Amino acid sequence: MSPSSSLAIPDAAIQAIIGAGRRMDRFHWVPATAGNFSVRLPGGRVAITRSGRHKGFLDADSVMGVDLEGRPEEAGARPSAETLLHCGIYRRFPEAGAVLHGHSVANTVLSRQAGEGIELAGYELLKAFPGLPTHEAAVTLPVFDNDQDIARLQRAVDARWDGMAAISPATGSVIPPGYLIRGHGVYVWARDMDAALARLEALEFMLECELQERRSR
Amino acid sequence: MSPSSSLAIPDAAIQAIIGAGRRMDRFHWVPATAGNFSVRLPGGRVAITRSGRHKGFLDADSVMGVDLEGRPEEAGARPSAETLLHCGIYRRFPEAGAVLHGHSVANTVLSRQAGEGIELAGYELLKAFPGLPTHEAAVTLPVFDNDQDIARLQRAVDARWDGMAAISPATGSVIPPGYLIRGHGVYVWARDMDAALARLEALEFMLECELQERRSR
Amino acid sequence: MSPSSSLAIPDAAIQAIIGAGRRMDRFHWVPATAGNFSVRLPGGRVAITRSGRHKGFLDADSVMGVDLEGRPEEAGARPSAETLLHCGIYRRFPEAGAVLHGHSVANTVLSRQAGEGIELAGYELLKAFPGLPTHEAAVTLPVFDNDQDIARLQRAVDARWDGMAAISPATGSVIPPGYLIRGHGVYVWARDMDAALARLEALEFMLECELQERRSR
Amino acid sequence: MSPSSSLAIPDAAIQAIIGAGRRMDRFHWVPATAGNFSVRLPGGRVAITRSGRHKGFLDADSVMGVDLEGRPEEAGARPSAETLLHCGIYRRFPEAGAVLHGHSVANTVLSRQAGEGIELAGYELLKAFPGLPTHEAAVTLPVFDNDQDIARLQRAVDARWDGMAAISPATGSVIPPGYLIRGHGVYVWARDMDAALARLEALEFMLECELQERRSR
């Protein structure tokens, strides 16, 4: 088998990424060239969106391969700016098969007003998240300060995960279903793209509810 | 006729359920795998969505049969978690031919802030509901506390209906056009799926108006 | 020519009505079976939507003929409940060729909070209305109390128009671009359906701005 | 080559303008006949929308040519009312290849409440603008009073640009990514239509965030 064929991106991964972009565009969650999406491939590879494309209008050429350190498989190819955040998720969570990042008005406004986290409680949709079998649970969505140094931002994310496990090793599986970067959108992940989209829809729905509740109180 | 053919779901019921999901997804009322829909079939049967599917992307395989006690016709098949609420509606209201459950931001936010009911008054769209010939009427939409024990939740719903009939036997026909579960969406029903969708649209429209009115007051 | 052919509705009128319904449904302005639309035909006839249909899913059979008094051309046919309001517009304004009625959240909420009118001022889009060559103009949109007696409601509308002409005969052409019924939506008209849709879009845009302004003040 | 063929509008420019209108209509940014779009052509020519069309339903006939002073290439043809604003942008910014003007609820409401500018700060999406490599930058979007005398309005815009360059000649490249006219929408430009649409989406997203933040504070 030639090297070039070993670097090909499977069509299923490409179609999953293109489809996610179309759906997120329908929800207005990928304005301008915002957002980036990836799928884990066998052999320590990741298929991820190239930098600078509008995510509602992707094609096969918009997807490229990187390794788990974010290094492009093709010399000179430029993956999405936040590739290291995707890689951080794949390294930390072995069950993660797809990662989505998008900007909604709700997640942008709430993350700008929040401290280190946003608590979601009492929603039936909390059941869409892992380790939360009932609406009576509550989850705190971490909020990180934005940082153009993505490696440093990923270290802050890792430090938060490390701290959570240290405080509560018995509940290591109750990882938050995603996290926010202040003024910079949300990251979610799940076993595959459909599950990641479902998690994103659940999260954005609750954030929109939070935004509306604050206004009508 | 073989047993398997007697258990088939009529295509009209399947198409009605698929179409309802697409329309509700367009309105953003079925985030993640939220929502469930059913159609009453002859012979004490109900066609209902299976558990865990995204309701905007249903296909024929997403629909299964249960009896009026919510028991699956196929061994091992898993209907939507709230199947007993659908069955409770079909048992209580002989004229009900279709049931819809969805989550909107408006019904979620308002039900979280409400007490035992939400009054809707002065809307022309109240005429879309049974037993309300004029906009001058008012209707109180019951709000129930959420409960992961669906059988117990259905008993609370039945108790409310029983209480209403006891207080006012003469007006037994002026049943509320639906009910809310706190943080968990709305249930509506009507003679068929088109009528149920129309009722849902009318109800959600008025709830959105209520949400906006509270904010602009 | 046979009587039946003389009663046919021209295809252009049917298509204009079907298309208006689809577009208004896209904007969520015709929930449930709300809304009604008409087109003026030659010979004192009006093509209008039948009662009880969802306006986003009309077909040729959903349109019927009435005369300028609202009497159906076919015995037993039932036009939209507010047919007399359409006829009142065609009788009053000879240049009116199409009439649209819809329910938006903005027009419902604002009309419920308003007195006898809502003033719109300072919007560039005011230029979309007749007799307003500049954004510096202001227009007061009349708001009428809702009434299930449509003939009586039409008399209230006529009385308002009569009063305006009496006060200011010289400016008889500066008729408001539409009117609201409290909790019951908006009426607009124009020379043809495309112009009526444009007027409706301009009006709803400004009402949505008003609703948002009240909240952010 | 005949004069008429030299005046033809290239199909790529027509398709770019038609497509921009469809997308902006999907976002509800071109109500009624609002909005206008243009593309710079070689030889000091500009392709621009004709006056009075609905921008969501343009066809090839909806686009015409003008020179950089806004004079129509065809005798009697009537370009969009604000053609001189487009020309002002092409004359001032040699790199501008496309200009978009639209009306959103957010840009209308905020411009009506603003003074001479609206500051956007702390958004990751600021990176979508020229000369802003990080979210830590801030940009002030100029807001001009509306004026039916478009030549006078363009002189006010030019005076603002002249003043900015005079104050800070070294940062001449950090031009705002667009400007607002009070109650009358936004203007943006970029090297081509796709880039202009991306800039518009980024700008509208941040304005919507600003509108929501003001309400939830």
Side-chain angles (χ1 to χ4, degrees):
Chain A
M1 196 155 49
S2 73
S4 68
S5 73
S6 72
L7 294 177
I9 310 288
D11 192 56
I14 290 172
Q15 293 310 317
I17 287 172
I18 292 174
R22 286 190 188 140
R23 183 146 174 99
M24 289 176 68
D25 184 49
R26 234 198 75 198
F27 285 99
H28 301 180
W29 293 340
V30 285
T33 59
N36 37 69
F37 325 134
S38 68
V39 170
R40 190 199 291 267
L41 301 178
R45 300 173 66 214
V46 172
I48 193 164
T49 42
R50 286 183 202 275
S51 179
R53 309 288 172 99
H54 193 296
K55 303 310 179 297
F57 304 97
L58 299 174
D59 58 23
D61 182 58
S62 313
V63 181
M64 56 174 284
V66 296
D67 66 16
L68 284 172
E69 308 299 323
R71 288 175 297 229
E73 295 180 340
E74 313 156 50
R78 195 167 150 234
S80 278
E82 290 94 356
T83 296
L84 289 181
L85 300 181
H86 291 248
C87 294
I89 290 167
Y90 290 121
R91 288 195 310 257
R92 169 81 45 172
F93 306 112
E95 72 281 12
V99 175
L100 290 171
H101 164 53
H103 296 222
S104 71
V105 168
N107 75 39
T108 302
V109 170
L110 291 173
S111 68
R112 284 161 62 91
Q113 296 177 336
E116 291 201 342
I118 294 172
E119 194 190 61
L120 302 173
Y123 293 100
E124 174 71 10
L125 272 172
L126 286 169
K127 288 168 61 183
F129 296 154
L132 295 170
T134 151
H135 68 278
E136 286 167 354
V139 66
T140 296
L141 205 57
V143 178
F144 298 99
D145 286 333
N146 197 9
D147 192 334
Q148 296 304 315
D149 182 334
I150 299 297
R152 188 168 56 193
L153 178 50
Q154 178 57 39
R155 287 195 296 274
V157 174
D158 276 324
R160 184 84 68 103
W161 298 150
D162 289 343
M164 291 178 65
I167 291 163
S168 176
T171 59
S173 66
V174 188
I175 293 292
Y179 62 80
L180 302 182
I181 309 176
R182 207 178 308 286
H184 184 176
V186 67
Y187 274 84
V188 297
W189 55 92
R191 66 182 184 277
D192 60 27
M193 188 59 92
D194 281 351
L197 278 168
R199 190 154 311 169
L200 182 61
E201 286 184 33
L203 196 56
E204 290 289 355
F205 181 89
M206 286 181 275
L207 291 174
E208 181 67 28
C209 287
E210 291 288 314
L211 185 62
Q212 302 273 347
E213 278 191 15
R214 283 163 206 220
R215 281 194 260 137
S216 59
R217 265 202 298 250
Chain B
M1 196 159 46
S2 72
S4 70
S5 75
S6 72
L7 293 177
I9 310 289
D11 192 56
I14 290 172
Q15 294 310 318
I17 286 172
I18 291 173
R22 285 190 188 139
R23 183 145 174 100
M24 289 176 67
D25 184 50
R26 233 198 75 199
F27 284 99
H28 302 179
W29 293 340
V30 286
T33 58
N36 38 68
F37 325 134
S38 68
V39 170
R40 190 199 292 266
L41 302 178
R45 300 174 65 214
V46 172
I48 192 164
T49 42
R50 287 183 202 274
S51 180
R53 310 287 173 101
H54 193 297
K55 303 310 179 297
F57 304 97
L58 298 174
D59 57 24
D61 181 59
S62 313
V63 181
M64 56 175 284
V66 297
D67 68 15
L68 284 173
E69 307 299 324
R71 288 176 296 231
E73 294 181 340
E74 314 157 49
R78 194 166 150 237
S80 278
E82 291 93 357
T83 295
L84 290 181
L85 301 181
H86 290 248
C87 293
I89 290 167
Y90 290 122
R91 287 195 312 257
R92 170 80 45 171
F93 307 113
E95 72 282 12
V99 175
L100 290 171
H101 164 53
H103 294 222
S104 72
V105 168
N107 74 40
T108 302
V109 170
L110 290 174
S111 68
R112 284 161 62 91
Q113 297 177 335
E116 291 200 342
I118 293 173
E119 193 190 63
L120 302 173
Y123 293 99
E124 174 70 10
L125 273 171
L126 286 169
K127 287 169 60 184
F129 296 154
L132 294 169
T134 152
H135 69 280
E136 285 167 355
V139 67
T140 296
L141 205 57
V143 178
F144 298 99
D145 287 332
N146 197 8
D147 192 334
Q148 295 304 316
D149 182 335
I150 300 297
R152 188 168 56 193
L153 178 50
Q154 178 57 38
R155 287 195 295 274
V157 174
D158 275 324
R160 185 83 69 103
W161 298 150
D162 288 344
M164 290 177 66
I167 292 163
S168 176
T171 60
S173 67
V174 188
I175 292 292
Y179 62 80
L180 302 182
I181 309 176
R182 206 178 308 286
H184 184 175
V186 67
Y187 274 83
V188 297
W189 56 92
R191 67 180 183 278
D192 58 27
M193 188 58 91
D194 281 350
L197 277 168
R199 190 154 311 169
L200 182 62
E201 286 185 34
L203 195 56
E204 291 288 355
F205 180 90
M206 287 182 274
L207 291 174
E208 181 69 26
C209 287
E210 291 289 314
L211 185 62
Q212 302 272 348
E213 277 192 15
R214 283 162 206 221
R215 281 194 259 139
S216 60
R217 266 203 297 250
Chain C
M1 196 155 49
S2 73
S4 70
S5 74
S6 73
L7 293 177
I9 310 288
D11 191 56
I14 290 171
Q15 294 309 318
I17 286 172
I18 292 174
R22 286 191 188 140
R23 183 147 175 100
M24 289 176 68
D25 184 50
R26 233 199 75 199
F27 285 98
H28 302 179
W29 293 340
V30 284
T33 58
N36 37 69
F37 325 135
S38 68
V39 170
R40 190 200 293 267
L41 302 178
R45 301 174 66 214
V46 173
I48 193 164
T49 42
R50 287 183 202 274
S51 179
R53 310 288 173 102
H54 193 298
K55 302 311 179 296
F57 303 98
L58 298 174
D59 58 24
D61 180 58
S62 314
V63 181
M64 57 175 284
V66 297
D67 66 16
L68 284 172
E69 307 299 324
R71 288 177 296 231
E73 294 180 342
E74 313 157 50
R78 192 164 153 238
S80 279
E82 291 93 356
T83 296
L84 289 182
L85 300 180
H86 291 248
C87 294
I89 290 167
Y90 291 121
R91 288 196 310 258
R92 170 81 45 171
F93 306 113
E95 72 282 13
V99 175
L100 290 171
H101 164 53
H103 295 221
S104 72
V105 168
N107 75 39
T108 303
V109 170
L110 290 173
S111 67
R112 284 161 62 92
Q113 297 177 335
E116 291 201 343
I118 293 173
E119 192 190 62
L120 301 173
Y123 293 99
E124 175 71 10
L125 273 171
L126 286 169
K127 288 169 61 184
F129 296 153
L132 295 170
T134 153
H135 68 279
E136 285 167 354
V139 67
T140 296
L141 205 57
V143 178
F144 298 99
D145 288 333
N146 197 9
D147 193 334
Q148 297 304 316
D149 181 335
I150 299 297
R152 188 168 57 192
L153 177 50
Q154 178 56 38
R155 287 195 295 274
V157 174
D158 275 324
R160 185 83 70 103
W161 299 150
D162 289 343
M164 290 177 67
I167 291 164
S168 176
T171 60
S173 66
V174 189
I175 292 291
Y179 61 80
L180 302 182
I181 309 175
R182 206 178 309 285
H184 183 175
V186 66
Y187 274 83
V188 297
W189 57 93
R191 67 181 183 278
D192 59 27
M193 188 59 92
D194 282 350
L197 277 168
R199 189 153 312 168
L200 182 62
E201 286 184 33
L203 195 56
E204 290 288 356
F205 180 90
M206 286 182 274
L207 292 173
E208 181 68 27
C209 287
E210 291 289 313
L211 184 62
Q212 302 272 347
E213 277 192 15
R214 282 162 207 221
R215 280 194 259 137
S216 59
R217 263 201 301 248
Chain D
M1 197 157 46
S2 74
S4 68
S5 74
S6 73
L7 293 177
I9 310 288
D11 191 56
I14 291 171
Q15 294 309 318
I17 286 172
I18 292 174
R22 286 190 188 140
R23 183 146 175 100
M24 289 176 68
D25 184 50
R26 233 199 75 198
F27 285 98
H28 301 180
W29 293 341
V30 285
T33 58
N36 38 68
F37 326 133
S38 68
V39 170
R40 190 200 291 266
L41 301 178
R45 301 173 66 214
V46 172
I48 192 164
T49 42
R50 286 183 203 274
S51 180
R53 309 287 173 102
H54 193 297
K55 302 311 179 297
F57 304 97
L58 298 174
D59 58 24
D61 181 58
S62 313
V63 181
M64 57 175 284
V66 297
D67 67 16
L68 284 172
E69 307 299 324
R71 288 175 296 232
E73 294 181 340
E74 313 156 49
R78 193 166 152 236
S80 279
E82 290 94 356
T83 296
L84 289 181
L85 301 181
H86 291 247
C87 293
I89 290 167
Y90 291 122
R91 288 195 311 258
R92 169 80 46 171
F93 307 113
E95 73 281 13
V99 175
L100 290 171
H101 164 53
H103 294 221
S104 71
V105 168
N107 76 39
T108 303
V109 170
L110 290 173
S111 68
R112 283 160 63 92
Q113 296 177 335
E116 290 201 344
I118 294 172
E119 193 190 62
L120 302 173
Y123 294 99
E124 174 71 11
L125 273 171
L126 285 169
K127 288 169 62 184
F129 297 153
L132 294 171
T134 153
H135 68 279
E136 286 168 354
V139 68
T140 296
L141 204 57
V143 178
F144 298 98
D145 287 333
N146 197 8
D147 192 334
Q148 296 304 316
D149 182 335
I150 299 297
R152 189 168 56 193
L153 178 50
Q154 177 57 38
R155 287 195 297 273
V157 173
D158 275 324
R160 184 84 67 104
W161 298 149
D162 289 343
M164 291 178 65
I167 291 163
S168 176
T171 59
S173 66
V174 188
I175 293 290
Y179 61 80
L180 301 183
I181 309 175
R182 206 178 309 287
H184 184 174
V186 66
Y187 275 82
V188 297
W189 57 93
R191 66 182 184 277
D192 59 26
M193 189 58 92
D194 282 350
L197 278 167
R199 191 154 310 168
L200 182 62
E201 286 184 33
L203 196 56
E204 291 289 355
F205 180 90
M206 287 182 275
L207 291 173
E208 181 68 27
C209 288
E210 290 289 314
L211 185 62
Q212 302 272 346
E213 277 192 14
R214 282 163 207 220
R215 281 195 258 138
S216 58
R217 265 202 299 250

